[in-house]
Amino acid sequence: TAILQGAKHPCAFLVPGLRITLTDDRSGESVTETFQASGGIVDFVDHLALDTAVTPTWRLTGSGTFTEQIQVLDDQGQLVPAETERVCDVDIALRWGIGYETDVRSFVNVIATPKGGTHQAGFDLGLLRTVRKTIEANARRLKISAKEIAEERLEKDDILAGLTAVITVRLAEPEFEGQTKEVLGTSAVRTIVAKVVDTELGAI
């Protein structure tokens, strides 16, 4: 309870329909707190964001498949390499505010990855690519010349300023770097997340 006091539990946002009820009897008087977020990661972003919103909180969802080699037992009981198809589900919520701080949280199968990894790299790539394309497509309406776009090309830090986002991916047997599982290493996830961001954000 000490860890959760004054804050919502991340799992209540990340697992749809999950309700967590904690009772603290240490003081001799029962204190009960319930954590539940019907809006999922959209509520998570709204909970994390401290500044006034510039955009709505958008939710981007999608999935992709990839193949990887695994070891399986053959008829003789020997380990042999085989290809298997994996599915990666992507669920992202994000919004921009008037501030300059960036708060991006990433998760793999409800496991926090505070140091990011391929899912966060894919998010950054898709976000930068989509915002650049949107500006170029609307240059005339925004009264921006092609020369200005080329000379003052938006970089990642420009896009991330004022952004609050939660990135979640779900996949079987993810590869993590190191023992602490703080960094996702499954390389195919980068392309899948970037494509979901590009497709979903580009359609807004």
Side-chain angles (χ1 to χ4, degrees):
T1 36
I3 297 174
L4 304 176
Q5 192 172 12
K8 289 186 177 291
H9 195 292
C11 284
F13 296 109
L14 299 172
V15 181
L18 179 66
R19 181 186 179 93
I20 302 171
T21 302
L22 299 174
T23 302
D24 187 353
D25 294 321
R26 292 175 296 180
S27 63
E29 184 178 332
S30 290
V31 177
T32 299
E33 192 165 0
T34 299
F35 304 91
Q36 187 174 23
S38 57
I41 61 172
V42 170
D43 285 352
F44 200 176
V45 166
D46 291 339
H47 172 69
L48 293 171
L50 300 176
D51 55 356
T52 303
V54 173
T55 68
T57 301
W58 291 312
R59 191 167 193 170
L60 317 176
T61 60
S63 63
T65 60
F66 62 98
T67 58
E68 66 178 2
Q69 287 231 336
I70 61 170
Q71 295 291 316
V72 298
L73 290 172
D74 64 11
D75 295 337
Q76 286 74 45
Q78 301 294 317
L79 282 173
V80 294
E83 277 199 346
T84 187
E85 185 174 81
R86 303 288 195 199
V87 177
C88 175
D89 293 314
V90 180
D91 192 4
I92 297 168
L94 74 161
R95 60 85 120 177
W96 277 274
I98 62 173
Y100 294 97
E101 297 298 317
T102 303
D103 190 357
V104 177
R105 312 285 179 97
S106 62
F107 300 84
V108 179
N109 299 345
V110 198
I111 299 170
T113 47
K115 294 183 180 178
T118 53
H119 53 335
Q120 194 157 333
F123 172 77
D124 291 346
L125 173 64
L127 195 65
L128 183 58
R129 191 164 57 195
T130 303
V131 173
R132 280 177 174 172
K133 283 195 302 185
T134 302
I135 290 173
E136 288 171 8
N138 292 278
R140 178 174 290 183
R141 187 169 62 84
L142 296 170
K143 297 180 180 178
I144 302 173
S145 67
K147 182 181 179 182
E148 287 173 315
I149 291 174
E151 288 178 349
E152 300 181 22
R153 191 169 177 81
L154 285 173
E155 299 300 336
K156 187 174 85 168
D157 288 345
D158 302 319
I159 305 296
L160 294 180
L163 178 72
T164 303
V166 174
I167 308 160
T168 66
V169 294
R170 292 177 176 83
L171 66 154
E173 299 186 30
E175 297 175 9
F176 292 98
E177 297 177 7
Q179 297 298 315
T180 56
K181 295 186 176 181
E182 292 185 324
V183 181
L184 178 65
T186 307
S187 59
V189 171
R190 180 176 183 268
T191 303
I192 292 170
V193 173
K195 186 175 180 181
V196 169
V197 172
D198 200 4
T199 302
E200 295 291 303
L201 189 59
I204 292 173

